[in-house]
């Protein structure tokens, strides 16, 4: 749709898509997990490393646009932060390691269901975040002389060109450690093979940035559901783990008939915006043809909205990392 390109942000997103697919000519087609080759298009391939194949490509797709001057550094950072926001607000990210999300891609990723958000993480966004953190780690450890690019070049030269094959995870880790100059077991244990909370300040501080959660200490009021409205019917399509709807027993596929006696259509959010924590709602749902009324007390719940801010007085080291990373 060519009219979309009149909007600069949407045009930038389109360029990101193009550069994503183009980057796959290297990362996946040539630089690849050993399990993926030789390519077999008839059978499923299981690998725990799609966070590298898709995640690193997701990182580089926007990064290349920034480096080519097609999008600004601010826009690039916004895109990185939107990855963080989407991952940090996904309950499944707190329970599923990204290596497992990768391994299960064949049975899960392209077959999402109503509980996906609660049980799965996304190896595109999470992988892009991990790529960024490793980039910052390498730039900082090498005092601005190396970056993630150097790791990609080693993987290309050594495994694709010289050995004519992909790399194992142990080999990937070894090459990374050679460049960083230290053991990276902790990174793999915490962020790849388990779902531990990411220590963002440790990484962003290296480049003179601080990640602020604008919603820290604030709470949202809502039901914690996703809905879709079709033919005048509003149906619950997902229930957020530990949200109010989850606690009071609203289910996926329940049709919302009325709240406090009012017919609910697409104006659900508008209706809820006038409510506050502690209010009791009487929710009438149609569950498989049976009408049920559920009393629900609105509770505040936490979500995150991050913003990246430059530290006021960056050190020379931080400036050097920032320059290498963002080129200005
Ligand atoms: Zn891709």
């Amino acid at each position: 749709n060519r009219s979309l390109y009149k909007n600069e942000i949407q045009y930038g997103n389109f360029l990101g898509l193009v550069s994503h697919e183009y980057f796959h000519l290297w990362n996946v087609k040539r630089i690849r997990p050993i399990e993926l080759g030789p390519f077999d298009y008839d059978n499923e391939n299981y690998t725990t490393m799609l966070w590298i194949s898709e995640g690193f490509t997701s990182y580089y797709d926007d990064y290349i646009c920034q480096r080519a001057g097609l999008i600004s550094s601010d826009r690039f950072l916004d895109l990185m932060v939107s990855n963080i926001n989407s991952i940090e607000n996904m309950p499944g990210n707190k329970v599923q390691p990204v290596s497992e999300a990768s391994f299960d891609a064949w049975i899960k990723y392209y077959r999402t269901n109503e509980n996906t958000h609660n049980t799965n993480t996304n190896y595109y966004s999470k992988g892009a975040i991990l790529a960024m953190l490793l980039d910052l780690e390498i730039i900082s450890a090498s005092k601005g002389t190396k970056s993630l690019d150097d790791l990609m070049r080693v993987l290309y030269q050594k495994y694709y060109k010289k050995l004519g094959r992909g790399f194992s995870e142990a080999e990937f880790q070894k090459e990374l450690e050679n460049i960083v100059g230290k053991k990276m077991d902790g990174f793999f244990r915490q962020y790849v093979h388990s779902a531990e909370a990411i220590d963002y300040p440790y990484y962003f501080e290296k480049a003179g940035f601080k990640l602020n959660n604008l919603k820290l200490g604030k709470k949202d009021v809502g039901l914690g559901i996703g809905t879709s409205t079709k033919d005048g019917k509003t149906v619950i399509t997902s229930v957020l783990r530990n949200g109010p709807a989850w606690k009071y027993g609203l289910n996926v596929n329940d049709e919302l008939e009325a709240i406090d006696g009012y017919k609910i259509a697409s104006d659900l959010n508008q209706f809820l915006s006038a409510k506050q924590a502690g209010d009791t709602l009487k929710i009438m749902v149609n569950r498989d043809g049976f009408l049920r009324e559920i009393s629900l007390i609105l509770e505040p719940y936490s979500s995150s909205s991050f913003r990246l801010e430059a530290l006021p007085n960056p050190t020379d080291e931080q400036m050097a990392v920032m320059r290498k990373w963002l080129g200005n």
Side-chain angles (χ1 to χ4, degrees), residues 276-305:
Q276 45 189 321
D279 287 355
T280 300
L281 301 183
K282 293 199 180 309
I283 303 179
M284 181 70 76
V285 297
N286 178 344
R287 181 174 296 167
D288 299 327
F290 294 96
L291 290 178
R292 293 185 52 162
E293 188 177 78
I294 292 173
S295 271
L296 176 153
I297 299 170
L298 277 178
E299 290 171 30
Y301 66 94
S302 309
S303 66
S304 304
S305 174

Side-chain angles (χ1 to χ4, degrees), residues 16 22-23 60 63 71 73 102 131 142 151 154 170 190 215 228 263-264 269 282 305 325:
Y22 195 62
F23 195 75
Y60 273 105
Y63 195 21
I71 62 171
S73 297
S102 168
S142 68
L151 175 63
V154 168
Q190 291 170 281
K215 286 198 175 166
S228 80
K263 175 90 186 134
I264 291 300
N269 288 333
K282 293 199 180 309
S305 174
W325 189 34

